[in-house]
Amino acid sequence: MTMKEAIKKFVHNNNLVFLGGFGNGITFSAAQEIIRQNKRNLSICKCAGGILFDQLIGAGVTNQIITSHCWNGIGPQPTWNFKRAIEEGIPQKIIYNEQSLFMINMSFFAGYMGLPFMPIRSIVGTSIYDHPKDVGVKAATVKCPFTGEEICVVPALNPDVGVIQVQRADSEGNAQMWGLIGDTKYGINSCKKIIVAAEVIVDKKVIMESPERTIISAHKVNAVVHEPWGGHPSYMQGFYYTDLEYRFNYTKETKTLEDWEIWLEKWVTGVDNRQEYLKVLGQEKIKKLKAKSIMQGAVDYGF
Amino acid sequence: MGFNETKYCKEYTGFEMMLVSACRHINSNDIVFNTFHWPFLAVHMAKLLKYPDLFLVLEVGLFQNELVKSKKMPYSITDPVLIPNSVFTGDSIDALSVLQRGEITLALLSTSIIDKYGNCNTTVIGPYEKPIYRLPGGGGATEIAGLSKRLIWLLDEHSKRRLVEKLDFITDPGYLDGYDSRVKAGYPPDTGPDSIITPLCIMQFDSITKEAYLDALHPNVTIEQVKENTEWDLKVAKEVKQIEPPTIREIEICRKTMRDAIDQYYVLKPEWTIYLDK
């Protein structure tokens, strides 16, 4: 399936959408296809939003973000669409469902485990515990029946649909990721519909050579997309490095609404798919970002 | 004062002094939670200066205790260069678990706005519903501040808008409303802020009221200067300590680290870097 077909089939207006990748394999290709298809009123969740969320906010795709952080990590520098939306309601007002990094991770973990909530020893006493007021109960305190201790609990998140960008998958959807996982494994497994985008599609035999690298198995994957460089400008361990220059310049290039519209046209709405995006990026940059191979870690699985 | 020896550096910025002071707070046996972005520099300095095998935990779920074998400094906590230089990689739940089990003995965090009880705000300036200025949100600092045994806050600017009486929003817990309110809220009694390090001074927290007071001055700074630039009525230790100036060696490593950071797109204010080219 192509990214275009997968997003069309599985991402619908008003959905709660999980977007994978914490540093490693951020789902930029999927997010930009969501923008091109002009989806509306999505709630989007991810442990740290960064410039990915900034683009979805600027394009008017989302009216609620569930995250712990939204900024450009390179610099660090502000994300202007995010600030325009919250400070001025441009292009629309959005709700920021305030999370802490580990709180949202525990909500995904509860969703992953098929449990209604998970305890966590933080956020009590902070304003995150009960802000914003219009998203219902975000956290509560319960008494441990075994020790009598009071402990904070956070609810499960079970997004309608999720997308991940991984190093490799087989055609059935068994997906492998290595390097930093962040919230990707628990996040994607907590979703009801699942799109796996992979740098390479491999034979199932390759997956079975190191099954501990699989973060989601095919039994619950709905679509497999072969999407090389789908994580640019983030990195994919073993494939390509972060485009620091592009990410650094993003803040400067999207500072005003006019700047942002030019940026959006150049990189998202003016191209039809990731292959065309890569043409805009150019061969020279692609060559520069390509990872230098470090093969390591062969082990003996004998018995 | 006895700090006239030739081993000391004569010219340096307040930002450099803040990093040097932070670096001096790190002990060889600490289990350190290393965070973006100024702590990243202070910890890097500690590795180069004294403890190359310092044990570090990162919020992405990565543990390392060796210097990264690369000429470049990692651009952030998610830099892929960290992976083949680590002893453990997992996911964020692994990092949270280390915190919740009470294993982190030292965490350094940089923040923008702090109150007298060591609570921080990285969410919003002005009323929450109608913000004047929206900030990014806390990321993992909420848990790191909540669950580390010794917590050191770094502020790169010492001013009344940064050190305030009361916050608009508590993103990261310090001692909440002071006294025993942090423990009552449910945080382990052996956790909480230890110090606030700014370009001007080091503050510590009163053992009863949990209010921050001036404990030690950076060189050539006066008590009045610190009080004038702090919004609350800052209490002062009976005997305010004088902090040793940075040594030539410390500043050498500090500036190398700052140069490496700039190469990796860290934005440093021009007034912090005036001595870098010398």
Side-chain angles (χ1 to χ4, degrees), chain B residues 113-177:
Chain B
I113 306 162
I114 195 163
D115 73 9
K116 62 181 176 183
Y117 295 121
N119 306 302
C120 291
N121 173 10
T122 49
T123 300
V124 70
I125 295 172
Y128 181 77
E129 302 300 337
K130 232 182 150 22
I132 297 163
Y133 200 85
R134 175 68 214 202
L135 300 168
T142 304
E143 283 78 17
I144 300 164
L147 300 166
S148 301
K149 296 228 159 100
R150 257 167 80 225
L151 169 65
I152 295 172
W153 287 114
L154 304 186
L155 270 95
D156 59 38
E157 177 188 315
H158 194 130
S159 67
K160 281 188 172 172
R161 65 183 190 128
R162 299 292 208 98
L163 293 106
V164 303
E165 174 83 32
K166 200 167 166 52
L167 297 175
D168 293 313
F169 191 99
I170 299 180
T171 316
D172 315 309
Y175 291 107
L176 300 176
D177 298 319

Coordinates of all heavy atoms in Angstrom, one line a residue, chain B residues 113-177:
Chain B
I113 N 11.9 29.7 34.6 CA 11.2 30.5 35.7 C 11.1 29.6 36.9 O 10.6 28.5 36.9 CB 9.8 31.0 35.3 CG1 9.9 31.8 33.9 CG2 9.3 31.9 36.3 CD1 8.6 31.9 33.2
I114 N 11.5 30.1 38.1 CA 11.5 29.4 39.3 C 11.0 30.2 40.4 O 11.1 31.4 40.4 CB 13.0 28.9 39.6 CG1 13.0 27.8 40.7 CG2 13.9 30.0 40.0 CD1 14.3 27.0 40.7
D115 N 10.3 29.6 41.4 CA 9.8 30.4 42.6 C 10.6 30.0 43.8 O 11.6 29.3 43.7 CB 8.3 30.1 42.8 CG 8.0 28.8 43.4 OD1 8.9 28.0 43.8 OD2 6.8 28.5 43.4
K116 N 10.3 30.7 44.9 CA 11.1 30.6 46.1 C 11.2 29.2 46.7 O 12.0 28.9 47.5 CB 10.7 31.6 47.1 CG 9.3 31.5 47.7 CD 9.1 32.6 48.7 CE 7.6 32.6 49.2 NZ 7.4 33.7 50.1
Y117 N 10.2 28.3 46.3 CA 10.2 27.0 46.9 C 10.8 26.0 45.8 O 10.7 24.8 46.0 CB 8.8 26.5 47.3 CG 8.3 27.3 48.4 CD1 7.1 28.0 48.3 CD2 8.9 27.3 49.6 CE1 6.6 28.8 49.4 CE2 8.4 28.1 50.7 CZ 7.3 28.8 50.6 OH 6.8 29.5 51.6
G118 N 11.4 26.5 44.8 CA 12.1 25.6 43.8 C 11.1 25.0 42.8 O 11.5 24.0 42.2
N119 N 9.9 25.5 42.7 CA 9.0 25.0 41.7 C 9.3 25.7 40.4 O 9.7 26.8 40.4 CB 7.5 25.3 42.1 CG 7.1 24.8 43.5 OD1 7.2 23.6 43.7 ND2 6.7 25.7 44.3
C120 N 9.1 25.0 39.3 CA 9.4 25.7 38.0 C 8.2 25.7 37.0 O 7.3 24.8 37.1 CB 10.6 25.0 37.3 SG 12.1 25.3 38.3
N121 N 8.3 26.6 36.1 CA 7.2 26.8 35.1 C 7.9 26.8 33.7 O 8.7 27.7 33.4 CB 6.5 28.1 35.4 CG 5.5 28.5 34.3 OD1 5.2 27.7 33.4 ND2 5.0 29.7 34.4
T122 N 7.6 25.8 32.9 CA 8.0 25.9 31.5 C 6.8 25.7 30.6 O 6.9 25.2 29.5 CB 9.0 24.8 31.2 OG1 8.5 23.5 31.7 CG2 10.4 25.0 31.8
T123 N 5.6 26.1 31.1 CA 4.4 25.9 30.4 C 3.8 27.2 29.8 O 3.5 27.3 28.6 CB 3.3 25.3 31.3 OG1 3.8 24.0 31.8 CG2 2.0 25.1 30.6
V124 N 3.7 28.3 30.7 CA 2.9 29.4 30.2 C 3.3 30.7 31.0 O 3.5 30.6 32.3 CB 1.4 29.1 30.3 CG1 0.9 29.0 31.7 CG2 0.6 30.1 29.5
I125 N 3.4 31.8 30.4 CA 3.5 33.1 31.1 C 2.2 33.9 31.0 O 1.7 34.0 29.9 CB 4.7 33.9 30.6 CG1 6.0 33.1 30.9 CG2 4.8 35.3 31.3 CD1 7.3 33.7 30.3
G126 N 1.7 34.3 32.1 CA 0.4 34.9 32.1 C -0.7 33.9 32.5 O -0.3 32.8 32.8
P127 N -2.0 34.3 32.5 CA -3.0 33.4 32.9 C -3.1 32.2 32.0 O -2.9 32.3 30.7 CB -4.3 34.2 32.7 CG -3.9 35.6 32.4 CD -2.4 35.6 32.0
Y128 N -3.3 31.0 32.5 CA -3.2 29.8 31.7 C -4.2 29.9 30.5 O -3.9 29.5 29.4 CB -3.6 28.6 32.6 CG -3.5 27.3 31.8 CD1 -2.3 26.7 31.4 CD2 -4.7 26.7 31.3 CE1 -2.3 25.6 30.6 CE2 -4.7 25.6 30.5 CZ -3.4 25.0 30.2 OH -3.4 23.9 29.4
E129 N -5.4 30.4 30.8 CA -6.5 30.4 29.7 C -6.2 31.5 28.7 O -6.7 31.4 27.5 CB -7.9 30.7 30.3 CG -8.3 29.6 31.4 CD -8.4 28.2 30.9 OE1 -8.5 28.0 29.6 OE2 -8.3 27.3 31.7
K130 N -5.4 32.5 29.0 CA -5.1 33.6 28.0 C -3.7 33.9 28.2 O -3.3 35.0 28.7 CB -6.0 34.8 28.4 CG -6.8 35.2 27.1 CD -7.6 36.4 27.4 CE -7.8 37.3 26.2 NZ -7.6 36.8 24.9
P131 N -2.8 33.0 27.7 CA -1.4 33.2 27.9 C -0.8 34.4 27.2 O -1.2 34.7 26.0 CB -0.8 31.9 27.4 CG -1.7 31.4 26.5 CD -3.1 31.8 27.0
I132 N 0.2 35.1 27.8 CA 0.9 36.2 27.1 C 2.0 35.5 26.3 O 2.2 35.9 25.2 CB 1.6 37.1 28.2 CG1 0.5 37.8 29.0 CG2 2.5 38.1 27.5 CD1 1.1 38.4 30.3
Y133 N 2.6 34.4 26.8 CA 3.6 33.7 26.1 C 3.5 32.3 26.4 O 3.5 31.9 27.6 CB 5.0 34.3 26.6 CG 6.1 34.1 25.7 CD1 6.4 34.9 24.6 CD2 7.0 33.0 25.9 CE1 7.5 34.7 23.8 CE2 8.0 32.7 25.1 CZ 8.3 33.6 24.0 OH 9.4 33.4 23.2
R134 N 3.4 31.5 25.4 CA 3.3 30.0 25.6 C 4.7 29.4 25.5 O 5.5 29.7 24.6 CB 2.4 29.4 24.5 CG 2.3 27.9 24.5 CD 1.6 27.3 25.8 NE 2.2 26.1 26.2 CZ 1.6 25.1 26.9 NH1 0.3 25.3 27.3 NH2 2.2 24.0 27.3
L135 N 5.0 28.6 26.5 CA 6.3 27.9 26.5 C 6.0 26.4 26.1 O 4.9 26.0 26.0 CB 6.9 28.0 27.9 CG 7.1 29.4 28.4 CD1 7.4 29.5 29.9 CD2 8.3 30.1 27.7
P136 N 7.1 25.6 25.9 CA 6.9 24.3 25.3 C 6.2 23.3 26.2 O 5.6 22.3 25.7 CB 8.4 23.8 25.1 CG 9.3 24.7 25.9 CD 8.5 26.0 26.1
G137 N 6.3 23.4 27.5 CA 5.8 22.3 28.4 C 7.0 21.6 29.0 O 8.2 21.8 28.5
G138 N 6.8 20.8 30.0 CA 7.9 20.3 30.8 C 8.7 19.1 30.3 O 9.8 18.9 30.8
G139 N 8.1 18.4 29.3 CA 8.8 17.1 29.0 C 9.0 16.2 30.2 O 8.0 16.1 31.0
G140 N 10.2 15.7 30.3 CA 10.4 14.7 31.5 C 10.8 15.4 32.8 O 10.9 14.7 33.8
A141 N 10.9 16.7 32.7 CA 11.4 17.4 33.9 C 10.5 17.2 35.1 O 10.9 17.3 36.3 CB 11.6 18.9 33.6
T142 N 9.2 17.1 34.9 CA 8.2 16.9 35.9 C 8.6 15.7 36.8 O 8.6 15.8 38.1 CB 6.8 16.7 35.3 OG1 6.5 17.8 34.5 CG2 5.7 16.6 36.4
E143 N 8.9 14.6 36.2 CA 9.3 13.4 37.0 C 10.7 13.5 37.5 O 11.0 13.0 38.7 CB 9.2 12.1 36.1 CG 7.8 11.6 35.9 CD 7.0 12.4 34.9 OE1 7.7 13.2 34.1 OE2 5.8 12.3 34.9
I144 N 11.6 14.1 36.8 CA 13.0 14.2 37.2 C 13.1 15.1 38.4 O 13.7 14.7 39.4 CB 13.9 14.7 36.1 CG1 13.8 13.8 34.9 CG2 15.3 14.9 36.5 CD1 14.3 14.3 33.5
A145 N 12.3 16.2 38.4 CA 12.2 17.1 39.6 C 11.5 16.4 40.8 O 11.9 16.6 41.9 CB 11.5 18.4 39.2
G146 N 10.6 15.5 40.4 CA 9.8 14.9 41.5 C 10.5 13.7 42.2 O 10.3 13.5 43.4
L147 N 11.4 13.1 41.5 CA 11.9 11.8 42.0 C 13.4 11.6 42.2 O 13.9 10.5 42.6 CB 11.3 10.7 41.1 CG 9.8 10.6 41.0 CD1 9.3 9.8 39.9 CD2 9.2 10.1 42.3
S148 N 14.2 12.7 41.9 CA 15.6 12.6 42.0 C 16.0 12.9 43.5 O 15.4 13.8 44.0 CB 16.3 13.5 41.1 OG 16.0 13.2 39.7
K149 N 17.0 12.3 44.0 CA 17.4 12.6 45.4 C 18.0 14.0 45.6 O 17.6 14.7 46.5 CB 18.4 11.5 45.8 CG 17.8 10.1 45.8 CD 18.1 9.3 47.1 CE 17.1 8.2 47.3 NZ 17.6 6.9 46.9
R150 N 18.9 14.3 44.7 CA 19.5 15.7 44.7 C 19.2 16.3 43.4 O 19.5 15.8 42.4 CB 21.0 15.7 44.9 CG 21.6 16.0 46.3 CD 23.0 15.6 46.3 NE 23.9 16.6 45.7 CZ 24.9 16.3 44.9 NH1 25.1 15.1 44.5 NH2 25.6 17.3 44.4
L151 N 18.5 17.5 43.5 CA 18.1 18.1 42.3 C 18.8 19.5 42.2 O 18.7 20.3 43.2 CB 16.6 18.2 42.2 CG 16.0 19.1 41.1 CD1 16.3 18.5 39.8 CD2 14.5 19.3 41.4
I152 N 19.4 19.8 41.1 CA 20.1 21.1 40.9 C 19.4 21.8 39.7 O 19.4 21.3 38.6 CB 21.6 21.0 40.8 CG1 22.2 20.4 42.1 CG2 22.2 22.3 40.4 CD1 23.6 20.0 42.0
W153 N 18.9 23.0 40.0 CA 18.3 23.8 38.9 C 19.3 24.8 38.4 O 20.0 25.5 39.1 CB 17.1 24.6 39.5 CG 15.9 23.9 39.8 CD1 15.3 23.7 41.0 CD2 15.0 23.2 38.8 NE1 14.2 22.9 40.9 CE2 14.0 22.6 39.6 CE3 15.0 23.1 37.4 CZ2 12.9 21.9 39.0 CZ3 14.0 22.3 36.8 CH2 13.0 21.8 37.6
L154 N 19.4 24.9 37.1 CA 20.3 25.8 36.4 C 19.5 26.9 35.8 O 18.5 26.6 35.0 CB 21.2 25.2 35.4 CG 22.1 24.0 35.8 CD1 23.0 23.6 34.6 CD2 22.9 24.3 37.0
L155 N 19.8 28.2 36.1 CA 19.1 29.3 35.4 C 20.2 30.1 34.7 O 21.1 30.6 35.4 CB 18.4 30.2 36.4 CG 16.9 29.8 36.6 CD1 16.8 28.9 37.8 CD2 16.0 31.0 36.8
D156 N 20.0 30.4 33.4 CA 21.1 31.1 32.7 C 20.9 32.6 32.8 O 21.7 33.4 32.3 CB 21.1 30.7 31.2 CG 19.9 30.9 30.5 OD1 19.2 31.9 30.7 OD2 19.5 30.1 29.6
E157 N 19.9 33.1 33.5 CA 19.7 34.5 33.7 C 19.2 34.7 35.1 O 18.2 34.0 35.5 CB 18.6 35.0 32.7 CG 18.3 36.5 32.8 CD 17.1 36.9 31.9 OE1 17.1 36.5 30.7 OE2 16.2 37.6 32.4
H158 N 19.8 35.6 35.9 CA 19.3 35.9 37.2 C 18.6 37.2 37.2 O 19.3 38.3 37.2 CB 20.5 35.9 38.2 CG 20.1 35.9 39.6 ND1 20.6 35.0 40.6 CD2 19.1 36.6 40.3 CE1 20.0 35.2 41.7 NE2 19.1 36.2 41.6
S159 N 17.3 37.2 37.1 CA 16.5 38.4 37.1 C 15.2 38.2 37.8 O 14.8 37.1 38.1 CB 16.3 38.8 35.6 OG 15.4 37.9 35.0
K160 N 14.5 39.4 38.0 CA 13.2 39.3 38.7 C 12.2 38.6 37.9 O 11.2 38.1 38.5 CB 12.7 40.7 39.0 CG 13.4 41.3 40.2 CD 12.8 42.6 40.6 CE 13.4 43.1 42.0 NZ 13.0 44.4 42.3
R161 N 12.3 38.6 36.6 CA 11.3 37.8 35.8 C 11.5 36.3 35.8 O 10.7 35.5 35.4 CB 11.1 38.4 34.4 CG 12.3 38.2 33.6 CD 12.2 38.9 32.2 NE 13.4 38.4 31.4 CZ 13.3 37.9 30.2 NH1 12.2 37.7 29.6 NH2 14.4 37.5 29.6
R162 N 12.8 35.9 36.2 CA 13.1 34.5 36.2 C 13.0 33.9 37.6 O 12.7 32.7 37.7 CB 14.5 34.3 35.7 CG 14.8 34.8 34.3 CD 14.0 33.9 33.3 NE 14.7 34.0 32.0 CZ 15.6 33.0 31.6 NH1 15.8 31.9 32.4 NH2 16.2 33.1 30.5
L163 N 13.3 34.7 38.6 CA 13.2 34.2 40.0 C 12.1 34.9 40.7 O 12.2 36.1 41.1 CB 14.5 34.4 40.7 CG 15.7 33.6 40.2 CD1 16.7 34.4 39.4 CD2 16.4 32.8 41.3
V164 N 10.9 34.3 40.7 CA 9.7 35.0 41.1 C 9.1 34.5 42.4 O 9.4 33.3 42.9 CB 8.6 34.8 40.0 CG1 9.1 35.4 38.7 CG2 8.1 33.4 39.8
E165 N 8.2 35.3 43.0 CA 7.6 35.0 44.3 C 6.6 33.8 44.0 O 6.6 32.8 44.8 CB 6.8 36.2 44.7 CG 5.9 36.0 45.9 CD 6.6 36.1 47.2 OE1 7.6 36.9 47.3 OE2 6.2 35.4 48.2
K166 N 5.8 33.9 43.0 CA 4.8 32.9 42.8 C 4.6 32.6 41.3 O 4.7 33.5 40.5 CB 3.4 33.4 43.3 CG 2.4 32.2 43.6 CD 1.2 32.7 44.4 CE 0.1 31.7 44.4 NZ 0.5 30.3 44.7
L167 N 4.4 31.3 40.9 CA 4.4 31.0 39.5 C 2.9 31.0 38.9 O 2.0 30.8 39.7 CB 4.9 29.5 39.3 CG 6.3 29.2 39.6 CD1 6.6 27.7 39.5 CD2 7.3 30.0 38.7
D168 N 2.8 31.3 37.6 CA 1.5 31.2 37.0 C 1.1 29.7 36.8 O -0.1 29.4 36.7 CB 1.6 31.8 35.5 CG 1.8 33.3 35.6 OD1 1.1 34.0 36.4 OD2 2.7 33.8 34.9
F169 N 2.0 28.8 36.8 CA 1.7 27.4 36.5 C 2.9 26.6 37.1 O 4.1 26.9 36.8 CB 1.7 27.2 35.0 CG 1.1 25.9 34.5 CD1 -0.2 25.8 34.1 CD2 1.9 24.8 34.4 CE1 -0.7 24.6 33.6 CE2 1.4 23.5 34.0 CZ 0.1 23.4 33.6
I170 N 2.6 25.5 37.8 CA 3.7 24.6 38.3 C 3.9 23.5 37.3 O 3.0 22.6 37.3 CB 3.5 24.1 39.7 CG1 3.4 25.3 40.7 CG2 4.6 23.2 40.1 CD1 3.2 24.9 42.2
T171 N 4.9 23.5 36.5 CA 5.2 22.4 35.6 C 6.0 21.3 36.4 O 5.7 20.1 36.2 CB 6.0 22.9 34.4 OG1 5.5 24.1 33.9 CG2 6.0 21.8 33.3
D172 N 7.0 21.7 37.2 CA 7.9 20.8 37.8 C 7.9 21.1 39.3 O 8.0 22.2 39.7 CB 9.3 21.0 37.3 CG 9.3 21.1 35.8 OD1 8.7 20.2 35.1 OD2 9.9 22.1 35.3
P173 N 7.7 20.0 40.1 CA 7.6 20.3 41.6 C 8.9 20.5 42.3 O 9.8 19.8 42.1 CB 6.9 18.9 42.1 CG 7.5 17.9 41.1 CD 7.6 18.6 39.8
G174 N 8.9 21.6 43.0 CA 10.0 21.8 44.0 C 9.4 21.4 45.3 O 8.9 20.3 45.5
Y175 N 9.5 22.4 46.3 CA 8.9 22.1 47.6 C 7.4 22.6 47.7 O 6.9 22.8 48.8 CB 9.8 22.7 48.7 CG 11.1 21.9 48.8 CD1 12.3 22.5 48.4 CD2 11.1 20.6 49.3 CE1 13.5 21.8 48.5 CE2 12.3 19.9 49.4 CZ 13.5 20.5 49.0 OH 14.7 19.8 49.1
L176 N 6.8 22.8 46.5 CA 5.4 23.2 46.4 C 5.1 24.4 47.2 O 5.5 25.5 46.9 CB 4.5 22.0 46.8 CG 4.7 20.7 45.8 CD1 3.8 19.6 46.3 CD2 4.4 21.1 44.4
D177 N 4.3 24.3 48.4 CA 4.1 25.5 49.2 C 5.0 25.6 50.4 O 4.7 26.3 51.4 CB 2.6 25.4 49.7 CG 1.6 25.4 48.6 OD1 1.8 26.2 47.6 OD2 0.6 24.7 48.6

